[in-house]
Amino acid sequence: MTKSDNDVVVTGIGLVTSFGVGQAPHVAMLTGSATPAVNVDSEICAPYPVHPLPEIDWKDQIPKRGDQRQMENWQRLGVYAAGLALDDAGVKGNEDICSTMDMIVAAGGGERDIAVDTMIINEGLERSDREILLNEKLTTELRPTLFLAQLANLVAGNISIVQKVTGSSRTFMGEEAAGISAVATAYARILAGQSTHTLVGGAFVAERRDILLMLEAVHALSRGARAPLWDRAAEDDGGMVMGSAGAFLVLESRAYAETRGAHIYATISGVEGDRGKRDEGRLEKRLGRLFADAGFEGGEGDVVFSGATGLTALTKREADFVKQAFPDTPLRGYTGITGHAMEANFPSVLRLARWRSTTRHRSLSSMTVKDR
Amino acid sequence: MSSKFTDHLGRPLVAVTGMGVVTSLGRGLKDNWERLTAGVSGIHGISRFPTELLSTRIAGTVDFIPSDPNPVARSYAFAEATIEEALEMAGLSGDFDAPLFLAAPPVEPEWSMRFNLGDRAPPPKEDNDVYVRFLAAMREQADPAFHEAVMFGSISERIADRFGTRGLPVTLSTACASGATAIQLGVEAIRQGRTDKAMTVATDGSVTAEALVRFSLLSALSTQNDPPEKASKPFSKDRDGFVIAEGAATLILESLEAAHARGAKVYGIIRGCGEKADHFHRTRSSPDGGPAIATIRAALEDAGLGIDSLDYINAHGTSTPENDKMEYSALKAVFGDELMPSIPLSSNKSMIGHALTAAGAVEAVFSLQTMLTGVLPPTINYINPDPTIDLDVVPNTARNASVSSVLSSSFGFGGQNACLVMTREPS
């Protein structure tokens, strides 16, 4: 691949999953010879297994307790992972670079106040004037700060406050697609010279029943014991196992990175995403086009990292397609070991793919498809 | 290096070829514009839910477009109405076949849905167990309608299916700047050469009791409930908060060259976009207005315009004590003490309230309409001017003026700032 000034390069990686914090546990997991020891908790949200947050000392990236208190875990995780990525890129605290750095965050919704929700529902069981009850309780029981802990764009807002990234701030929503579009947009802007350096990523906390409820509304979740990604039973089991993850990347134009002497981990050569009907082979046709548009040919040393949801039938179709289209290319379903991280799902795979490829080559083709 | 179809930096000029709008004043550009320029307010007492015990009992809700009673369904219905209008104006039919950028509210389940779930869930067993019980009820019986009503991507999925947009739609939220950000993303995509056209939509149908209470707890809302139409009074001395509202707007963006090639009518040019984040506070802007100043300057620079070439400003003008003061000082810093009082500026929010996610796009449509018609909509309820804010706010009645360039500002919670500069089509 010929190098050019506007190539989009990866210079900072911040990742937290159930395996741990930062590079070491993930590199060990990816490059170790043994099967990774998966961290799954079957109790905390039973009967749904989830890959929980690892132990995190928030003050490592969010030094002020006042800042920590303004957030719940989902926002903390985003701010923390963003800090890891900035550290890794060697730009944290560099005012010139951070104050001109663009930012795109893929975000979902924040924590509910479970105690208040329970109180309202329980009292509502005895009352016929539920709307009045609602006004009564909401005006007296809601914490003012909770609103800000719930707002989608306040992950980015808190990153601005704590990590001082203020070039621009955009928040994308829409579940998995948000993570894909965030990276795709950051990539396209740098490639076109609209941005020189961008922080991009997302966070997701799996051990939250209020979030699981959204998915169980369509029976998407796996119940009982966790099964391997490619082999989840269809009977009464949706197949999704959610996993906590915070994942951020610092992307730069090659020229910007080289001028400041940054270490370049990898080059991104394409990011594609799509949606649509899946019947009559449309899914397979779309996947084929996305791989081609992202410039992935399945050559020697290439790996396909799949962020398949685990939804039983769809995941199998994706695997069948990849095996048929790229018979010599290893397929790794990382959601099988980290869990599905919704908005942070696609950002996570990029980081994992990068570390996996340390022993391979420096070019990173990435593609994905919204898979639900 | 600039040709007929490119700007001062040689980038493709981005034309607006279709517009659609819904606010509390009505459906469609014609009705909205008539009322807006007549100084009519769309703010009214809330009838969607009981307002007993609430300190704010007024809003600019949109109650005349039928939909299921939840924020996703409402937001979609408003968006759909404006997309239909914009496509018709643009003379486009069939699959749109280009990217969609949607500003949509971060939604939560309606409380009626939670109550229904509670009714079919097992009884309380331990403290704080309501989501355990909700999940048990869902295991018993799935509820796809609940799922659709709580997924952030639902609105864009529906739009993509209905109008045949291309690729993965982008759903975004930059709080009160969202509408402007959606337009900015569309402009960027066309400048990147990724597409000749884009559909940019912003919609907000999220006024619920809980949303109202949350903003009230932050002391952001006006409590001057009586009479409702007088509550929103941007730049007035007795302003006490914004009036929450709903609405939607769609702009069809096309490269000017592509618009000409297909003989489309051009309603204006999105000439420049600026943005800058603030790290001062979660809800308050930097007291020195630094990020707002940088945002306005970035938009002018992107547009290639100097401070003396702006004819009118469509202000963010929320009617909160803090925003209006900060916005004034930012404008003064950019345009200077001498120039600023001579640039007319008005706040649509005095009449339509603050449509949050939709506001930036709604106001962009009205900015373009200002240029097209040569009428500046007024800032109504301007009875007691704030003596510390020295601006020509087009007080109370509309004014005729020839306008060929407009700045539209949006500033939001979470340090969000975005500005757009719009001009007429170059002759």
Side-chain angles (χ1 to χ4, degrees), chain A residues 215-222 237-241 310-311 372, chain B residues 147:
Chain A
L215 298 159
E216 194 58 346
V218 286
H219 286 185
L221 295 174
S222 202
D237 187 313
M240 289 179 80
V241 178
L311 284 172
R372 214 168 29 76
Chain B
H147 178 76

Side-chain angles (χ1 to χ4, degrees), chain A residues 290-303:
Chain A
L290 289 172
F291 271 101
D293 288 353
F296 185 86
E297 289 166 352
E300 195 182 337
D302 282 348
V303 180

